[in-house]
Amino acid sequence: SEDQSQDLSAYLVSANLSWLTDPDWRLIAEFDAAFTDGKNDDLRDGDYVQASVGFAYRPVDNDRFNALFKYTYLYDLPGNDQVNAQGETDGPRQRSHVLSADGIWQANKYLSLGAKYGFRIGEVEVSPDGVTPARGSGVFEPSSAHLGIVRADLHVARNWDALVEGRVLWSPTAETVDWGALAAVYRHIGDNFKVGVGYNFGRFSDDLTDLTLDDDGFFLNVVGKF
């Protein structure tokens, strides 16, 4: 007889929108979804939806202040043998709403100052004891967090920039407060790209859907601007 234990159906959807609603404002939206059906193996079923909508403010007559306001919804329930949104096969499953505001002000041609605030309201799957992450348990606990960041960008030379950040992550549900800092140096390549290397002194990232708290260490970052 035919073995159907490995049968798997997958459905993928992706869309994005960028609309200049006003000379100073742009609407941006993204939608990505992936669904898998393990046929005869429910443990291989997985659902993933990430949808976001935001407004970017960039005035055409005065580019000294820019801002981004964004809402993100993440429904990340991978199967036991699938990666989660952070690319980890043993990472937590979650259902989260994230709202954030990010702004940067150019004080002069050498210095820019910025700040970000975001908060997450959601649920994370845990083991029946309500403590450790566990896929397939069906037990979800509330998971909320607040993120605050202040930053300074310094244009130190013709093609070189430096960045320093101070960060704090407060989780009311876990009753924890984490402090962190980040520093980086960037080299401009042409008019549209810059490449940077830096070090994250904290264990968390600026992505509130990242629940792993393992982001300390060196990083490489490539930034494009148009």
Side-chain angles (χ1 to χ4, degrees):
S1 61
E2 184 179 357
D3 182 10
Q4 297 181 342
S5 62
Q6 299 300 315
D7 286 354
L8 180 72
S9 297
Y11 308 91
L12 307 174
V13 179
S14 181
N16 62 78
L17 170 69
S18 179
W19 177 27
L20 190 64
T21 61
D22 179 88
D24 296 338
W25 290 88
R26 181 179 297 272
L27 170 68
I28 52 176
E30 295 181 350
F31 179 84
D32 294 294
F35 305 98
T36 57
D37 180 2
K39 300 299 183 181
N40 298 323
D41 185 359
D42 292 340
L43 294 178
R44 303 182 69 200
D45 293 348
D47 297 325
Y48 171 83
V49 177
Q50 183 167 16
S52 64
V53 60
F55 277 97
Y57 175 68
R58 188 172 185 179
V60 295
D61 60 348
N62 182 359
D63 197 29
R64 294 188 64 183
F65 179 75
N66 296 283
L68 175 64
F69 309 91
K70 188 177 181 180
Y71 163 75
T72 299
Y73 172 68
L74 179 63
Y75 185 86
D76 186 23
L77 302 181
N80 281 356
D81 58 350
Q82 300 168 350
V83 299
N84 66 355
Q86 279 70 50
E88 300 173 329
T89 55
D90 58 350
R93 308 204 302 177
Q94 63 172 305
R95 301 183 291 236
S96 297
H97 302 268
V98 177
L99 190 65
S100 65
D102 194 341
I104 187 166
W105 172 62
Q106 184 174 346
N108 53 52
K109 64 179 181 179
Y110 300 108
L111 177 66
S112 296
L113 303 174
K116 177 178 181 178
Y117 168 72
F119 69 90
R120 180 188 74 240
I121 300 174
E123 298 175 307
V124 61
E125 188 177 30
V126 297
S127 62
D129 62 13
V131 180
T132 57
R135 292 193 178 181
S137 70
V139 179
F140 283 82
E141 292 290 334
S143 175
S144 62
H146 298 261
L147 172 69
I149 298 176
V150 291
R151 61 179 287 175
D153 293 84
L154 183 63
H155 185 58
V156 295
R158 182 174 180 271
N159 293 316
W160 292 91
D161 292 339
L163 163 69
V164 291
E165 288 187 356
R167 299 176 168 185
V168 59
L169 179 69
W170 170 46
S171 174
T173 51
E175 298 183 344
T176 60
V177 177
D178 287 286
W179 298 87
L182 180 146
V185 176
Y186 285 87
R187 164 75 178 183
H188 289 264
I189 301 175
D191 296 328
N192 301 108
F193 291 94
K194 63 180 182 179
V195 179
V197 61
Y199 194 89
N200 184 1
F201 296 91
R203 61 176 185 157
F204 58 93
S205 74
D206 60 353
D207 180 3
L208 280 169
T209 64
D210 184 355
L211 308 178
T212 54
L213 300 179
D214 60 355
D215 290 279
D216 57 307
F218 288 98
F219 65 88
L220 178 69
N221 192 25
V222 179
V223 179
K225 52 183 180 178
F226 301 95

